[in-house]
Amino acid sequence: MAQELTGIQKAAILMIALGSERSAEVVRHLGDGEIEQLTLEMANVGKVSPEQRDFVVEEFHQMCIASDYISQGGIEYAREVLERALGESRAFEIISRLSTSLKMRPFDLVRRTDPKQLFSFIQGEHPQTIALIMTHLPVDKAATLLSSLSHDKQADVAKRVATMGRTSPEVLKEIEKVLERKISSLAPTDYTTSGGIQSIVDVLNRTDPGTVKVVMDTLEMEDPDLAEQIKRQMFIFEDIVILDDRGIQLILREVETKDLGLALKGSNPEVAQKIQSNMSSRAGQMLKDDMEFMGPVRLRDVEEAQQRIVKVIRKLEESGAIVISRGGSDEIIY
């Protein structure tokens, strides 16, 4: 019976129903252990009946709708709407599952708050508090928040995120009370692991180059070892020089010529040489002519162009089209 399927079996059937392209997008957001379990279950799934497929897809759809209701008006609002639509028993089942999931996510309401509004609320808070909040935000929102901080706070907060380990539920609850979000009941009952090198790298990779420079320059003076660990994991525009020729050529196919010219306006000669050595003589000369024709440009425009190119590079790396050697255990063997 479809109703007797386990959670992992439902997940496997849903991935099959979604198709390979959409399933691949979902898998990108899973951990290694989750991917391993899901892949094994998908391999073991036999023939999926139309009844099973329809049941799983419909249940997933209902869960998504319920989650949206919770985000709009809270659990009680979602329960009331679902009871009217699906009946008391089915509504209770869906809300119970979602509540279990939400209890693993502190700062749920903060996570849904606009970063600009959040900044106005927490800008006077201690850097450790800001760092803790950032580790519970989506990386794009955390990057916006970090960029909004004053220069003297940016590096301090970044360092605290990078060196943060476990945080007790008591601390999480206290901060939630201070933020007046009234979600302390959603805090976990055990210790929550947050922060770390990868956490701040993800944030810095999505923030503007000016903020990255302030953070890294300060960290290099205050904690050179930490700065080196972070630099080893992140990619900035100047790191193009470490890419091989094939990688450069793939990047050149994906970026806009205007962005390339703007980005190189603010780069060092080694980067320009690396780029032009992978272009035809005619294309290289056209690029030089375009750069000269631009005349003076704003630093902000240059940084934004560099960001767009770095975004393309990260996308190519995530897809496996290029490999970035960052040294250490990540070195490449040919």
Side-chain angles (χ1 to χ4, degrees):
M1 293 291 292
Q3 291 85 342
E4 296 174 354
L5 293 168
T6 64
I8 190 66
Q9 286 173 331
K10 290 177 182 178
I13 292 172
L14 180 63
M15 292 297 98
I16 294 170
L18 288 175
S20 59
E21 186 174 342
R22 291 189 177 90
S23 295
E25 286 297 312
V26 174
V27 168
R28 285 177 53 197
H29 299 281
L30 302 179
D32 291 343
E34 294 169 324
I35 293 174
E36 186 176 326
Q37 286 184 336
L38 187 57
T39 302
L40 181 61
E41 190 60 41
M42 288 173 68
N44 289 332
V45 169
K47 185 177 180 181
V48 178
S49 68
E51 178 195 13
Q52 288 178 318
R53 182 198 61 210
D54 293 346
F55 176 83
V56 169
V57 171
E58 178 60 25
E59 183 178 73
F60 176 70
H61 180 239
Q62 291 172 353
M63 295 280 281
C64 289
I65 292 174
S67 181
D68 189 44
Y69 288 153
I70 289 176
S71 68
Q72 292 177 39
I75 290 179
E76 290 305 319
Y77 170 76
R79 180 180 289 112
E80 181 180 346
V81 174
L82 291 174
E83 283 180 356
R84 291 179 180 178
L86 305 174
E88 186 175 339
S89 176
R90 189 73 180 129
F92 176 80
E93 181 184 342
I94 293 172
I95 291 296
S96 295
R97 291 184 186 178
L98 283 174
S99 296
T100 300
S101 173
L102 288 172
K103 286 176 183 176
M104 300 305 294
R105 301 176 64 201
F107 296 102
D108 188 62
L109 292 178
V110 174
R111 192 179 292 106
R112 297 197 301 269
T113 303
D114 181 87
K116 293 180 180 178
Q117 294 178 334
L118 184 58
F119 168 70
S120 66
F121 189 81
I122 70 167
Q123 58 181 325
E125 295 293 330
H126 190 278
Q128 186 68 19
T129 301
I130 298 174
L132 181 60
I133 292 169
M134 278 178 53
T135 63
H136 291 89
L137 294 175
V139 288
D140 290 335
K141 286 190 175 182
T144 300
L145 184 59
L146 183 65
S147 299
S148 301
L149 299 175
S150 60
H151 286 182
D152 60 320
K153 270 190 177 181
Q154 286 175 342
D156 188 10
V157 169
K159 181 178 179 180
R160 292 171 187 272
V161 171
T163 57
M164 192 178 296
R166 300 190 305 167
T167 306
S168 71
E170 289 77 16
V171 172
L172 292 176
K173 288 180 181 179
E174 184 60 31
I175 293 175
E176 287 172 337
K177 288 178 183 177
V178 171
L179 293 174
E180 297 181 344
R181 298 302 176 189
K182 298 180 180 180
I183 56 171
S184 59
S185 62
L186 300 180
T189 56
D190 58 356
Y191 280 84
T192 300
T193 300
S194 57
I197 299 294
Q198 191 56 51
S199 180
I200 192 59
V201 166
D202 288 341
V203 171
L204 291 175
N205 272 337
R206 287 166 172 78
T207 195
D208 63 278
T211 300
V212 173
K213 188 176 187 308
V214 170
V215 169
M216 295 309 300
D217 286 352
T218 305
L219 288 181
E220 283 173 358
M221 290 188 293
E222 295 183 355
D223 195 333
D225 290 341
L226 178 61
E228 181 59 31
Q229 290 181 61
I230 292 174
K231 279 165 57 177
R232 223 182 270 139
Q233 295 298 320
M234 67 183 298
F235 189 95
I236 58 177
F237 183 74
E238 282 72 19
D239 288 335
I240 283 177
V241 296
I242 70 174
L243 299 176
D244 59 21
D245 290 344
R246 175 182 169 277
I248 296 290
Q249 290 157 20
L250 286 173
I251 293 164
L252 290 175
R253 295 177 195 167
E254 299 290 329
V255 301
E256 298 285 342
T257 304
K258 182 180 178 182
D259 278 347
L260 189 59
L262 259 178
L264 290 177
K265 273 278 197 178
S267 68
N268 58 50
E270 289 81 6
V271 175
Q273 174 59 35
K274 183 75 173 181
I275 293 290
Q276 290 172 350
S277 67
N278 281 281
M279 303 175 76
S280 66
S281 299
R282 182 171 178 275
Q285 187 58 52
M286 288 178 64
L287 179 62
K288 287 181 180 180
D289 293 343
D290 287 345
M291 291 171 64
E292 290 177 5
F293 183 74
M294 284 180 194
V297 294
R298 294 187 306 174
L299 175 61
R300 179 180 176 182
D301 292 336
V302 171
E303 291 180 341
E304 288 177 352
Q306 290 180 351
Q307 269 188 294
R308 287 191 289 271
I309 293 175
V310 169
K311 186 176 180 180
V312 169
I313 294 171
R314 284 201 297 267
K315 184 178 179 181
L316 289 171
E317 184 189 21
E318 289 171 1
S319 69
I322 64 174
V323 177
I324 300 174
S325 174
R326 293 180 169 87
S329 60
D330 216 21
E331 289 187 48
I332 307 301
I333 299 175
Y334 294 94

